C-alpha cells in the first residue's frame, strides 16, 4: 500500500481488550490476537482502530499502540467487568457509541473484522446499516464448547443462532486452523465463505533466550525436570489432567521434577475458584513441594519460562487454536497437548511434541515421561517446533495474509465492466 493511501479499518473485540494485561480472568488468546494483528497491520500500512468495551472508569478511553493503531474503549452498560455471557444486552449501546465515534471523527469503516460472536453481532449491524464489509473470526464456537461443559448458559441459543448468521452473511469468516473450518462446515452451516489464516506469535520475543540462561535467571537447577503450564484458570483448560498426570509420572519419585502452573489473577477474581480447586488437588496428591503457582506471567518474562521448561503441556478439553502451544514451540520447547482442535494443526505428533486424548491423565503421564526421559529427543522436537513456527505462525506472516484478504475484499468492482455487460 502506498503511504498516504492508508485505508481505515476497524477490529472489534467487545469483551477482549487488546490493550489490557493478558493472563487474568477472561483475558487470553483473543486479546493477544487482536493486539498483534492490529499492530502488524498498521506496520503494513493500514490505519487500524480496535474497539472494545470499557470495564473500569480509570481506564483510558484511547490507547495508542503505534502511530496507525489504537484501542478505543466504548461505554456499554455500566463501566465494570461483566462476564462475556452477560454482555449481549449492552451491544446496541456499543453499536450506537461506535456510530457516534465514526461521526465525530469523520470515518466510515469500509471493512470491519470482528472477534467472537458478540462482536460478530455488532459487525452484522454495521454491515447492514452502512454497508461495511464484514470479516469474522470466532475464537471459540458455541456448538463445540457446549459439548465440553456441563452447565449450559442461558445465552446459548442466542449465541448459536448468531454464529450461524455470521457465517452465512459475513463477507468471509477466518478459520484459524483446518480443524476449525471443518467444525464450521459440519456443525454451523454449509453456507458462507471461509478462509484459513492461522494465529501467530512473536518469533523474536519467544526463542530469544536459551535454556541455561533462562534457568539461571529463574533460579532453577540445571538438573531439574521442569514441566510448564501457561494459561488461564478455566476448567476448559484441563489443568486437572496435567496435575493428575504428574501425580502418575514414573519419574516423579526418582527425578528432581518440578511443575510450574503459570497464569491467573490474585484471589478474589472470577478465576479464583478454579485455582483453589487445582491447588486442592495438588495438595491431595502430595505435590505441594514440587509445584509452583507464580500467578500471571507478563509477556516480558514468559519467554524465559518457556525456554527454561523441558516440556510445556497444553491439556485443554477443547482449543480452537491455542497460542500457548506455538509460543512454547517458538521457544524450542517440546509440547504435550490434547489431541483436539487447533492443537492438532499446530503440534505435529512425534515431530514437535506429542498429542494425547483430552482428560486422559494416564496418556499425558506417558507422553510427558517419554520426553523427560530422553532429553536429546526433547531437543530435537523443540528444534522442529521452532522451524514450524518460523515458517507458518509469525505475526508478520499472518498479518500479510489478512492484509491480502482485506485488499481483495475492498477492491472496487469495475463499474465499466458491469456497464458494458
Ligand atoms: N498469557 C500470558 N500470561 C499468563 C497466562 C497467559 O501472557 O500468565 C497469554 C499466553 O502467552 C497466550 C494467551 O495468554 O498468548 C493465551 O492464549 P491461548 O490461545 O493459549 O488461550 P485462551 O486464553 O485464548 O483460551
Amino acid at each position: 500500500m502506498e503511504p498516504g493511501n492508508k485505508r481505515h479499518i476497524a477490529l472489534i473485540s467487545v469483551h477482549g481488550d487488546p490493550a489490557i494485561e493478558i493472563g487474568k480472568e477472561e483475558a487470553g488468546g483473543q486479546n493477544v490476537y487482536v493486539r498483534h494483528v492490529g499492530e502488524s497491520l498498521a506496520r503494513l500500512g493500514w490505519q487500524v482502530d480496535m474497539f472494545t468495551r470499557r470495564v473500569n472508569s480509570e481506564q483510558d478511553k484511547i490507547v495508542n499502540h503505534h502511530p496507525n493503531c489504537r484501542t478505543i474503549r466504548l461505554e456499554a452498560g455500566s463501566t465494570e467487568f461483566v462476564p462475556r455471557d452477560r454482555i449481549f444486552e449492552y451491544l446496541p449501546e456499543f453499536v450506537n457509541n461506535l456510530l457516534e465515534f465514526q461521526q465525530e471523527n469523520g470515518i466510515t469503516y469500509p471493512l470491519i473484522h470482528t472477534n467472537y460472536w458478540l462482536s460478530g453481532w455488532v459487525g452484522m449491524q454495521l454491515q447492514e446499516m452502512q454497508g461495511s464489509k464484514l470479516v469474522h473470526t470466532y475464537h471459540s464456537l458455541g456448538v463445540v464448547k457446549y459439548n465440553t461443559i456441563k452447565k449450559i448458559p442461558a445465552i446459548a441459543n442466542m449465541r448459536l443462532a448468531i454464529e450461524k448468521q455470521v457465517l452465512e452473511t459475513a463477507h468471509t469468516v477466518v478459520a484459524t486452523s483446518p480443524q476449525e473450518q471443518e467444525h464450521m462446515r459440519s456443525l454451523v452451516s454449509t453456507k458462507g465463505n471461509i478462509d484459513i489464516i492461522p494465529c501467530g506469535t512473536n518469533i523474536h520475543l519467544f526463542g530469544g533466550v536459551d535454556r541455561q540462561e533462562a534457568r539461571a535467571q529463574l533460579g532453577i537447577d540445571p538438573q531439574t525436570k521442569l514441566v510448564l503450564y501457561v494459561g488461564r484458570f478455566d476448567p476448559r483448560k484441563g489443568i486437572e489432567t496435567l496435575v493428575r498426570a504428574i501425580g502418575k509420572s514414573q519419574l516423579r519419585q526418582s527425578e528432581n521434577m518440578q511443575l510450574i502452573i503459570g497464569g491467573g489473577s490474585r484471589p478474589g477474581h472470577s478465576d479464583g475458584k478454579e485455582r483453589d480447586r487445582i491447588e486442592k488437588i495438588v495438595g491431595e496428591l502430595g505435590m505441594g513441594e514440587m509445584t509452583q503457582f507464580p500467578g500471571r506471567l507478563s509477556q516480558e518474562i514468559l519467554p524465559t519460562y518457556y525456554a527454561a521448561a523441558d516440556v510445556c503441556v497444553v491439556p485443554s478439553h477443547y482449543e480452537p487454536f491455542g497460542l500457548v502451544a506455538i509460543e512454547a514451540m517458538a521457544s524450542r520447547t517440546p509440547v504435550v497437548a490434547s489431541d483436539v482442535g487447533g492443537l492438532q494443526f499446530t503440534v505435529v505428533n512425534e515431530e514437535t511434541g506429542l498429542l494425547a486424548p483430552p482428560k486422559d491423565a494416564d496418556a499425558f503421564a506417558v507422553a510427558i515421561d517419554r520426553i523427560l526421559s530422553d532429553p536429546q529427543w526433547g531437543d530435537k522436537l523443540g528444534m522442529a517446533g521452532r522451524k514450524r513456527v518460523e515458517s507458518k505462525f509469525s505475526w508478520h506472516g499472518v498479518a500479510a495474509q489478512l492484509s491480502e484478504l482485506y485488499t481483495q475484499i475492498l477492491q472496487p468492482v469495475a463499474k465499466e465492466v458491469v456497464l458494458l455487460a
Side-chain angles (χ1 to χ4, degrees):
M1 218 176 309
E2 296 294 320
N5 186 22
K6 294 191 174 72
R7 304 294 303 262
H8 230 132
I9 54 169
L11 302 186
I12 303 184
S13 176
V14 175
H15 82 279
D17 184 334
I20 210 173
E21 288 178 322
I22 310 297
K24 284 202 223 170
E25 293 199 302
E26 290 193 348
Q30 181 176 324
N31 310 58
V32 173
Y33 175 88
V34 175
R35 178 180 185 145
H36 285 279
V37 161
E39 291 177 0
S40 306
L41 285 167
R43 283 193 284 273
L44 290 174
W46 297 86
Q47 186 100 35
V48 186
D49 286 343
M50 308 189 285
F51 289 93
T52 191
R53 184 175 163 273
R54 195 150 173 257
V55 300
N56 175 336
S57 52
E58 274 154 35
Q59 283 181 322
D60 291 331
K61 289 191 175 163
I62 295 190
V63 179
N64 289 305
H65 299 255
H66 175 277
N68 295 326
C69 176
R70 56 188 174 167
T71 291
I72 297 151
R73 296 187 173 120
L74 301 177
E75 306 282 335
S78 61
T79 318
E80 61 181 348
F81 174 77
V82 175
R84 61 185 91 172
D85 283 342
R86 288 199 273 118
I87 291 182
F88 187 68
E89 61 181 295
Y90 304 120
L91 295 182
E93 190 184 341
F94 190 94
V95 171
N96 283 341
N97 286 336
L98 205 157
L99 290 170
E100 204 170 287
F101 180 91
Q102 284 193 136
Q103 207 171 25
E104 280 168 7
N105 291 277
I107 307 165
T108 307
Y109 298 103
L111 185 140
I112 290 174
H113 185 158
T114 53
N115 297 272
Y116 198 64
W117 70 275
L118 294 165
S119 308
W121 185 86
V122 171
M124 286 194 288
Q125 310 312 304
L126 296 165
Q127 175 177 245
E128 203 174 304
M129 287 175 185
Q130 59 185 33
S132 301
K133 298 277 194 278
L134 179 60
V135 177
H136 181 71
T137 304
Y138 284 105
H139 294 277
S140 159
L141 279 172
V143 64
V144 180
K145 176 165 179 167
Y146 297 145
N147 268 331
T148 68
I149 56 174
K150 289 196 194 99
K151 220 173 119 203
I152 308 289
I155 197 74
N157 285 341
M158 179 67 79
R159 173 175 178 177
L160 295 175
I162 290 172
E163 287 186 339
K164 182 165 188 280
Q165 202 188 344
V166 174
L167 178 51
E168 293 180 349
T169 61
H171 193 285
T172 303
V173 169
V174 173
T176 54
S177 65
Q179 287 73 12
E180 197 190 2
Q181 180 188 35
E182 168 53 29
H183 280 145
M184 286 178 205
R185 278 290 174 249
S186 59
L187 303 170
V188 182
S189 178
T190 50
K191 299 193 197 116
N193 301 323
I194 304 176
D195 270 79
I196 300 177
I197 302 179
C199 291
T201 193
N202 185 338
I203 58 171
H204 308 294
L205 181 70
F206 296 107
V209 47
D210 71 20
R211 181 163 303 148
Q212 220 182 337
E213 197 185 325
R215 288 196 172 199
Q217 267 188 49
L218 298 175
I220 296 169
D221 189 289
Q223 300 309 317
T224 299
K225 300 281 187 201
L226 180 60
V227 179
L228 176 70
Y229 167 87
V230 174
R232 293 176 295 115
F233 276 79
D234 178 329
R236 163 171 83 82
K237 290 291 181 182
I239 307 175
E240 177 176 352
T241 308
L242 165 62
V243 170
R244 295 202 182 278
I246 300 297
K248 290 167 184 269
S249 164
Q250 298 290 323
L251 303 174
R252 185 180 152 197
Q253 308 303 340
S254 55
E255 305 268 357
N256 182 13
M257 205 169 178
Q258 204 180 324
L259 172 63
I260 296 185
I261 302 181
S265 341
R266 284 180 211 96
H269 288 262
S270 62
D271 56 358
K273 238 166 81 190
E274 177 65 357
R275 178 164 167 167
D276 292 347
R277 196 179 73 84
I278 296 295
E279 284 196 43
K280 198 164 151 238
I281 300 170
V282 166
E284 283 165 6
L285 296 175
M287 290 167 47
E289 249 178 47
M290 64 179 296
T291 309
Q292 275 181 39
F293 293 90
R296 189 189 87 84
L297 300 170
S298 70
Q299 292 275 307
E300 289 71 44
I301 193 71
L302 256 176
T304 312
Y305 275 88
Y306 284 125
D310 291 296
V311 60
C312 177
V313 182
V314 187
S316 316
H317 302 165
Y318 155 59
E319 199 62 78
F321 186 82
L323 284 175
V324 164
I326 59 170
E327 290 167 2
M329 284 158 64
S331 311
R332 299 180 189 81
T333 299
V335 175
V336 171
S338 295
D339 194 3
V340 293
L343 297 168
Q344 295 171 322
F345 172 51
T346 51
V347 180
V348 183
N349 194 32
E350 305 279 344
E351 269 180 43
T352 71
L354 293 170
L355 293 170
K359 302 187 189 172
D360 187 339
D362 290 301
F364 271 84
V366 170
I368 293 167
D369 282 357
R370 271 185 70 196
I371 293 178
L372 292 184
S373 56
D374 188 349
Q376 271 178 348
W377 185 53
D379 287 346
K380 203 170 146 207
L381 296 172
M383 292 305 290
R386 170 77 197 176
K387 259 200 167 146
R388 182 164 173 78
V389 174
E390 280 175 0
S391 69
K392 279 194 153 16
F393 307 120
S394 75
W395 281 126
H396 179 77
V398 168
Q401 291 178 62
L402 286 170
S403 176
E404 175 73 32
L405 175 68
Y406 298 166
T407 306
Q408 273 173 20
I409 294 176
L410 290 173
Q411 233 145 42
V413 182
K415 283 207 180 108
E416 302 76 15
V417 178
V418 175
L419 285 176
L420 283 175

